[in-house]
Amino acid sequence: MQHSGKSYDRLAWLYDAAAHAYSGGQIHALKTFQIGELQTGQRILYAGVGDGEDAVLAANRRVKLTLLDASPLMLERAKRKFEASGADDIVEFICSDVLKHQRPGYYDIVVANFFLNIFTEPMMQAVLAHLVAMLKPGGKLLIGDFSYPRGRFIARAMQRAYYYLSMVSFWLVGGTPLHPVYNYPQYFESVDLRTESIKLFWVSSLFPIAFEAITAVKNVGL
């Protein structure tokens, strides 16, 4: 079953503040970094846009934005941010289940920040395939999320503990299903994607805890 978005309505008022607090500002840094991938005139979909912090940054690149979220309150917060920025006339807002948004081969870039991790693994794979289907050949999928645990045992254990602490908190408040940290690149080959880059954003210089920005490219058929 697709995530309804209703559970995120009650998180809307604290979502940004919570993200900044538990990431030490690194989620914002990750989203700012992604803006460098955008080029003027491109069609960009923000799937599960939340309250639109990253999409407002994207508007400065003069791109054609579509913001999609299943939570009416999250989307309303995004609209208010765009109204305050004066850029609301260049943005399309859609409140919908992502699987009902059907635009095959339409977008140059699809952004899925902290979105795929709200689904169980089978549903995540279905949503991933759907997002890729809406990309043009050669288009890019940008994913921002918790970094997959790597390195020595202690480093992996600390990353998993940090991840589960955050996920259990959202599960208790918002109903997000619990699941292991997803290693997204392992799913890419099956949906005709290739990994272009992975950049880590470290929460602290003292502990091996990070978020990652993944850039993947949709293969061009022969």
Side-chain angles (χ1 to χ4, degrees):
M1 181 179 294
Q2 166 71 325
H3 197 283
S4 69
K6 292 181 180 179
S7 57
Y8 272 75
D9 281 350
R10 56 181 175 268
L11 296 174
W13 65 276
L14 56 75
Y15 192 78
D16 258 359
H20 282 287
Y22 71 73
S23 74
Q26 291 307 296
I27 290 178
H28 180 76
L30 182 158
K31 292 175 177 179
T32 301
F33 168 79
Q34 290 177 327
I35 302 304
E37 295 283 358
L38 312 186
Q39 298 179 19
T40 299
Q42 287 182 321
R43 292 170 173 168
I44 315 294
L45 170 66
Y46 275 86
V49 70
D51 59 6
E53 175 190 40
D54 39 4
V56 172
L57 296 173
N60 295 326
R61 304 290 278 199
R62 293 188 295 172
V63 294
K64 300 173 183 177
L65 288 169
T66 298
L67 310 189
L68 184 146
D69 205 286
S71 165
L73 290 185
M74 282 289 197
L75 205 61
E76 184 58 36
R77 288 176 66 87
K79 287 181 180 180
R80 290 202 295 268
K81 286 188 176 181
F82 272 89
E83 288 168 359
S85 72
D88 57 307
D89 59 334
I90 62 169
V91 184
E92 178 184 24
F93 297 93
I94 299 176
C95 187
S96 172
D97 178 324
V98 66
L99 295 179
K100 294 180 180 178
H101 185 62
Q102 300 284 342
R103 288 179 181 173
Y106 181 81
Y107 294 104
D108 297 289
I109 293 178
V110 172
V111 184
N113 286 334
F114 303 90
F115 176 57
L116 292 169
N117 70 8
I118 72 171
F119 303 104
T120 61
E121 185 176 18
M123 181 55 70
M124 180 276 289
Q125 291 179 267
V127 172
L128 174 64
H130 183 66
L131 295 180
V132 175
M134 291 192 286
L135 279 172
K136 296 177 179 178
K140 293 185 177 182
L141 175 66
L142 308 183
I143 298 174
D145 219 314
F146 291 87
S147 178
Y148 186 74
R150 299 178 178 88
R152 296 183 178 181
F153 174 78
I154 292 178
R156 298 197 308 272
M158 292 186 69
Q159 179 69 23
R160 286 193 175 95
Y162 178 73
Y163 164 79
Y164 279 114
L165 178 62
S166 300
M167 289 299 288
V168 167
S169 299
F170 279 100
W171 172 72
L172 289 172
V173 178
T176 299
L178 296 177
H179 54 74
V181 188
Y182 291 140
N183 183 15
Y184 295 111
Q186 78 174 12
Y187 302 98
F188 287 171
E189 184 177 357
S190 65
V191 293
D192 210 25
L193 284 177
R194 60 178 173 83
T195 304
E196 182 175 84
S197 66
I198 300 176
K199 180 175 174 57
L200 297 180
F201 292 81
W202 298 97
V203 175
S204 168
S205 60
L206 300 176
F207 303 105
I209 298 169
F211 296 89
E212 61 186 16
I214 302 172
T215 301
V217 180
K218 184 175 183 178
N219 294 323
V220 177
L222 298 178

